């Protein structure tokens, strides 16, 4: 932790409100939260840490007047906007438990969470959310009794957010409420995105979060009060840690990105020193860079490729912990300054000192691609149940392709079948039950079975293989990792998404989706229409699948495939909000196509 930040108590005695008070006292004039404002979102509005605490105090008093008491679960469905961030902290100061719900959740999922959490209040953004939430207030089987609506035009008949802050609030009551909070109290409940079945409510305590923050700070060195661009949903544990809890812990500066489509221009404007993206985000960014490079002259492309080769050679020595030879180090510094950094500056990535990914295995070709530009993506691993990161690579010790080593305070081992088991101070409190109790998910020795399959190498780095429940078992009894097959075929830049299938079958087939950014550029360069069913496209994909098959065992090889015309996404249901494949949804939706691939 930075030497300029004091801990207001011993780590095991800390709570998030104590850290917010520390920020207001020690760093009150520093920026804490910024967001786009103005009619067209052309201006930045910013709150300092002192102003944040003042707003949180008034909001907490207002929610108390609405009947929120210690232990209540309060649901929220908003984008990455200040009302969401400030409401979250205000509820925590009351001893209530904020629960963010994914904005893409279907009405049935929202009803399940509302019923399961027994929440009486929900804070939602506007008309789009009201359509799904309004009927729940009148549902006798659901405790939800009141909605707070942020957008004034949609608030008729409900409580407007603007009316919540209490002007004449009792400061003594506010201080008394948060000081009664114990580190073992719940800080939030995160409902898993549900690749299968109903979402589970993962209860996370102040202690879990603060111990995780301390462990991450020991691995990652960032400048004091570093900026963070918050664009992932707050319903995801990654953004809860990166966008709320770590900034409070580090007295950092959060920039809210309400629309992920505006992320790229915001990155170019702010030039952050840290950036986190799930693998699909890094894939899309790489596709954009590749499309740009495809437009460059042949001479320019050769110069860039040579610079990238130098960068990868330099990285190979660092990865092994070896000294970089003087001539190679000099060559790297030259190409970084004159070739790579100017290119990265076009994307706003030239000041990055920490780049990371998690949530799913990073395709190796994407890791190698960014390594060529001098960006070492530090892959991490964990689950909602481990408060996000349980293992991670760091600048001082990493292995590309692995998910690193366990963080401080966490033990990790593998069972006989390869399932990864975790125990330690950052493992969650348990699963919230419908009656309000909490069910411990660990065994008698404190080990939590993650459902992920992996192995450790001789240096203690963890390598992921697959999800236990997602392993394909062929009719011949062979176990196949679908992620391995999918990531191998996706190394071809035209293939943006892939699903391997073969459970109970004698061979594997695949559904393939073309990359929406790379494909039109490729088609134009080859003088053909951007039609996924064009014969020339089929021929190129056949070559890509053949190349992937050469690197796979006979059991893992794709025998037949179908090219689909539409990209998968959370809105259409094929991906979770954290961009993982919903395999059951995809296989059910494309059952006819899959069966057709097994037809004579």
């Amino acid at each position: 932790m930075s030497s300029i930040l004091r801990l207001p108590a011993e780590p095991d005695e800390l709570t998030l409100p104590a850290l917010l008070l520390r920020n207001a006292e020690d760093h009150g004039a520093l920026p804490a939260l910024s967001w786009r404002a103005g009619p067209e979102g052309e201006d930045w509005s910013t709150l300092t840490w002192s102003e944040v605490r003042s707003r949180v105090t008034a909001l907490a008093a207002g929610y108390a007047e609405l009947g929120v008491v210690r232990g209540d679960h309060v649901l929220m469905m908003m984008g990455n906007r200040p009302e969401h961030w400030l409401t979250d902290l205000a509820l925590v100061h009351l001893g209530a438990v904020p629960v963010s719900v994914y904005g893409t959740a279907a009405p049935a999922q929202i009803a399940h969470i509302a019923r399961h959490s027994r929440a009486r209040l929900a804070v939602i953004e506007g008309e789009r959310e009201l359509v799904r939430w309004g009927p729940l207030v009148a549902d006798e089987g659901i405790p939800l009794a009141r909605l707070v609506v942020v957008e004034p035009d949609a608030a008729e008949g409900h409580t407007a957010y603007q009316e919540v802050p209490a002007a004449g609030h009792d400061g003594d009551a506010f201080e008394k409420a948060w000081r009664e909070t114990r580190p073992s109290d719940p800080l939030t409940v995160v409902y898993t995105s549900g690749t299968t079945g109903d979402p589970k409510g993962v209860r996370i305590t102040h202690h879990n979060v603060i111990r995780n923050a301390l462990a991450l700070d020991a691995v990652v060195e960032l400048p004091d009060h570093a900026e963070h661009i918050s664009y992932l949903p707050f319903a995801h544990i990654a953004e809860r840690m990166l966008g709320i809890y770590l900034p409070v812990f580090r007295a950092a500066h959060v920039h809210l990105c309400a629309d992920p489509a505006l992320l790229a221009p915001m990155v170019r404007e702010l030039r952050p020193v840290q950036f986190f993206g799930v693998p699909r985000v890094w894939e899309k960014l790489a596709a954009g860079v590749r499309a740009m490079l495809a437009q460059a002259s042949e001479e320019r492309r050769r110069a860039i490729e040579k610079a990238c080769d130098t960068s990868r050679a330099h990285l190979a020595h660092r990865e092994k912990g070896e000294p970089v030879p003087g001539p190679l180090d000099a060559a790297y510094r030259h190409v970084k300054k004159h070739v790579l950094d100017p290119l990265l500056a076009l994307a706003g990535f030239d000041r990055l000192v920490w780049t990371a990914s998690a949530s799913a295995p990073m395709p190796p070709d994407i890791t190698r691609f960014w390594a060529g530009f001098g960006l070492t993506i530090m892959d991490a691993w964990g689950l909602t149940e481990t408060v996000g990161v349980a293992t991670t690579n760091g600048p001082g010790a990493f292995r590309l392709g692995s998910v690193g080593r366990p963080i401080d305070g966490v033990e990790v081992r593998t069972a006989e079948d390869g399932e990864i088991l975790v125990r330690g101070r950052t493992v969650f409190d348990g699963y919230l039950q419908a009656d309000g109790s909490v069910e411990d998910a660990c065994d008698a020795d404190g080990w939590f079975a993650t459902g992920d399959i992996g192995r450790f190498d001789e240096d203690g780095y963890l390598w992921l293989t697959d999800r236990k429940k997602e392993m394909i078992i062929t009719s011949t009894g062979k176990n196949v990792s679908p992620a391995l097959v999918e990531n191998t075929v996706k190394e071809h830049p035209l293939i943006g998404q892939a699903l391997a299938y073969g459970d109970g079958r004698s061979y594997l087939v695949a559904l393939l989706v073309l990359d929406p950014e790379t494909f039109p550029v490729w088609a134009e360069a080859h003088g053909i229409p951007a039609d996924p069913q064009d014969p020339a496209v089929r021929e190129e994909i056949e070559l890509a699948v053949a190349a992937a098959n050469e690197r796979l065992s006979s059991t893992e090889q794709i025998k037949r495939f179908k090219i689909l015309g539409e990209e998968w996404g959370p809105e259409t249901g094929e991906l979770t909000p954290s961009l993982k494949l919903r395999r059951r949804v995809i296989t059910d939706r494309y059952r006819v196509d899959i069966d057709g691939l097994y037809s004579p």
Side-chain angles (χ1 to χ4, degrees):
M1 189 173 184
S2 169
S3 60
I4 70 167
L5 295 174
R6 67 178 174 92
L7 290 180
E10 291 299 312
D12 288 341
E13 299 173 3
L14 277 174
T15 63
L16 205 69
L19 290 169
L20 183 62
L21 175 61
R22 184 271 320 261
N23 292 350
E25 290 177 341
D26 296 2
H27 313 286
L30 290 179
L33 186 68
S34 295
W35 66 94
R36 289 287 192 189
E40 304 296 328
E42 68 275 12
D43 302 317
W44 283 104
S45 284
T46 296
L47 294 177
T48 64
W49 281 112
S50 178
E51 291 167 336
V52 161
R53 195 166 190 273
S54 178
R55 292 276 188 100
V56 165
T57 304
L59 275 170
Y63 284 119
E65 288 181 2
L66 293 179
V68 176
V69 298
R70 179 172 298 277
D72 276 359
H73 294 93
V74 178
L75 306 181
M76 298 182 291
M77 183 182 277
M78 295 171 274
N80 295 39
R81 55 189 299 161
E83 295 87 353
H84 197 156
W85 201 87
L86 294 166
T87 288
D88 199 290
L89 290 178
L91 294 169
V92 167
H93 280 71
L94 289 176
V97 185
V99 181
S100 292
V101 182
Y102 283 109
T104 55
Q109 291 173 317
I110 298 171
H112 167 77
I113 293 171
R115 189 180 300 109
H116 187 268
S117 67
R118 302 182 302 153
R120 295 179 293 113
L121 174 70
V123 186
I124 64 173
E125 187 158 332
E127 190 63 43
R128 182 173 177 270
E129 292 72 27
L130 195 57
V131 172
R132 289 171 285 171
W133 288 84
L136 302 183
V137 177
D139 191 323
E140 292 183 0
I142 295 177
L144 195 65
R146 184 194 292 267
L147 297 178
V148 172
V149 183
V150 173
E151 294 177 356
D153 294 344
E156 185 176 351
H158 302 281
T159 302
Y161 173 86
Q162 292 72 18
E163 299 171 0
V164 172
H169 56 267
D170 184 346
D172 291 339
F174 173 80
E175 294 294 332
K176 181 176 183 295
W178 79 257
R179 290 184 187 279
E180 289 177 356
T181 298
R182 305 273 72 87
S184 58
D185 289 343
L187 176 58
T188 188
V189 170
V190 178
Y191 279 86
T192 58
S193 53
T195 54
T196 59
D198 286 328
K200 291 182 178 181
V202 177
R203 197 172 88 155
I204 294 169
T205 68
H206 291 257
H207 176 77
N208 294 147
V209 163
I210 288 168
R211 275 297 177 182
N212 191 270
L214 282 164
L216 289 176
D217 253 21
V219 176
V220 181
E221 290 188 15
L222 290 172
D224 293 332
H225 310 295
E227 295 176 331
H228 168 70
I229 298 177
S230 169
Y231 70 98
L232 293 170
F234 285 126
H236 193 298
I237 187 59
E239 195 60 78
R240 287 208 144 261
M241 282 300 301
L242 292 169
I244 303 176
Y245 304 142
L246 278 170
V248 172
F249 180 78
R250 293 170 171 163
H253 183 188
V254 178
H255 283 79
L256 297 172
C257 180
D259 183 357
L262 301 177
L263 175 63
M266 186 176 289
V267 170
R268 287 194 294 270
E269 177 186 358
L270 298 176
R271 298 170 60 231
V273 295
Q274 58 175 326
F275 187 82
F276 173 90
V278 296
R280 187 59 183 147
V281 169
W282 287 110
E283 288 175 346
K284 282 184 167 290
L285 291 169
V289 174
R290 283 169 169 156
M292 178 189 70
L293 294 179
Q295 305 297 318
S297 67
E298 184 176 347
E299 181 181 0
R300 177 66 171 155
R301 283 200 304 274
R302 281 201 302 268
I304 294 170
E305 288 169 3
K306 185 177 179 181
C308 289
D309 288 342
T310 300
S311 177
R312 293 188 189 101
H314 189 272
L315 180 67
H317 287 280
R318 291 171 46 217
E319 183 178 12
K320 297 173 185 175
E322 302 172 346
V324 180
L328 176 58
D329 190 50
Y332 170 71
R333 292 179 185 280
H334 176 80
V335 298
K336 179 167 173 55
K337 179 179 179 180
H338 296 286
V339 181
L340 302 178
D341 280 351
L343 287 171
L344 291 173
L346 297 176
F349 279 171
D350 53 313
R351 294 200 307 137
L352 286 175
V353 297
W354 182 75
T355 49
S357 182
S359 183
M362 175 71 79
D365 72 306
I366 298 299
T367 302
R368 291 194 298 270
F369 175 84
W370 288 111
F373 286 86
L375 297 184
T376 309
I377 299 176
M378 299 300 174
D379 220 350
W381 169 81
L383 301 91
T384 304
E385 289 88 343
T386 62
V387 195
V389 174
T391 70
T392 187
N393 288 283
F398 62 92
R399 293 289 185 275
L400 295 184
S402 83
V403 290
R405 294 167 165 165
I407 62 173
D408 184 50
V410 172
E411 296 176 81
V412 182
R413 68 179 178 89
T414 55
E416 288 185 5
D417 63 356
E419 183 172 9
I420 303 169
L421 308 178
V422 181
R423 71 177 177 186
R425 294 178 295 201
T426 70
V427 176
F428 75 131
D429 200 29
Y431 290 116
L432 180 69
Q433 302 300 294
D435 62 0
S437 64
V438 177
E439 181 183 90
D440 189 356
C442 299
D443 68 14
D445 295 321
W447 291 100
F448 173 69
T450 67
D452 279 339
I453 303 293
R455 63 177 178 84
F456 282 99
D457 65 19
E458 61 277 8
D459 296 317
Y461 290 87
L462 180 63
W463 298 74
L464 296 186
T465 305
D466 219 308
R467 287 289 295 172
K468 188 173 183 177
K469 294 180 180 178
E470 293 179 354
M471 293 293 286
I472 295 171
I473 304 177
T474 67
S475 60
T476 59
K478 299 288 188 180
N479 284 8
V480 177
S481 160
L484 171 65
V485 177
E486 291 153 4
N487 281 340
T488 302
V489 75
K490 285 196 314 182
E491 290 195 15
H492 192 289
L494 275 189
I495 301 175
Q497 295 171 312
L499 178 132
Y501 181 88
D503 213 38
R505 304 281 193 162
S506 59
Y507 60 87
L508 265 59
V509 299
L511 300 175
L512 305 176
V513 179
L514 301 181
D515 188 278
E517 296 186 37
T518 304
F519 175 51
V521 177
W522 180 89
E524 183 179 358
H526 287 75
I528 63 171
D531 179 2
Q533 307 309 320
D534 188 279
V537 177
R538 175 81 189 186
E539 183 179 348
E540 182 68 19
I541 299 303
E542 285 177 348
L543 293 173
V545 171
N549 283 341
E550 288 181 1
R551 297 167 50 201
L552 298 168
S553 71
S554 58
T555 305
E556 296 165 336
Q557 289 175 359
I558 298 168
K559 298 299 189 285
R560 303 178 74 180
F561 64 87
K562 183 175 180 63
I563 303 171
L564 304 178
E566 297 295 328
E567 187 179 24
W568 298 326
E571 295 79 10
T572 47
E574 300 92 354
L575 303 184
T576 70
S578 54
L579 306 184
K580 299 186 186 79
L581 292 177
R582 278 197 168 111
R583 296 182 183 277
R584 184 183 299 173
V585 171
I586 296 172
T587 54
D588 287 350
R589 188 163 294 173
Y590 295 96
R591 175 56 58 189
V592 172
D593 294 302
I594 291 172
D595 289 345
L597 292 171
Y598 286 103
S599 300

